[in-house]
Amino acid sequence: MSYTCKGDHMTNIPTITLSNGTKIPTLGFGVFQMSQEEAEQSVATALATGYRLIDTAASYQNEEAVGRGIQHSGVPRDEIFVTSKLWIADASYEKAKQA
């Protein structure tokens, strides 16, 4: 698996197919230990560069900044995957939906 760059933009990022047929990138951009400002700017830049998978978590406390970075990127939301880990206290079906 590899990716290539075309100018400043990544292309040909490998994907895997989920059980529902959706293809998701195998290469993502993580925001662990980033401040609000860093996360917002980095996510916008990562998306502009070609990333389409953003990884965050409730415990990182920067999920809102990730959302702002997505908005500022100009990339349509339906082209972006966001994965976010839950707090252990939210590890049930109903609590996960609320979280």
Side-chain angles (χ1 to χ4, degrees), residues 35-54:
S35 69
Q36 297 288 320
E37 186 176 301
E38 289 171 320
E40 183 174 339
Q41 182 60 51
S42 296
V43 165
T45 301
L47 291 169
T49 302
Y51 283 93
R52 291 298 181 265
L53 171 63
I54 304 298

Side-chain angles (χ1 to χ4, degrees), residues 53-75:
L53 171 63
I54 304 298
D55 178 70
T56 187
S59 65
Y60 301 172
Q61 299 181 354
N62 58 17
E63 290 174 307
E64 289 182 26
V66 168
R68 289 191 301 272
I70 290 170
Q71 288 177 325
H72 295 173
S73 74
V75 175

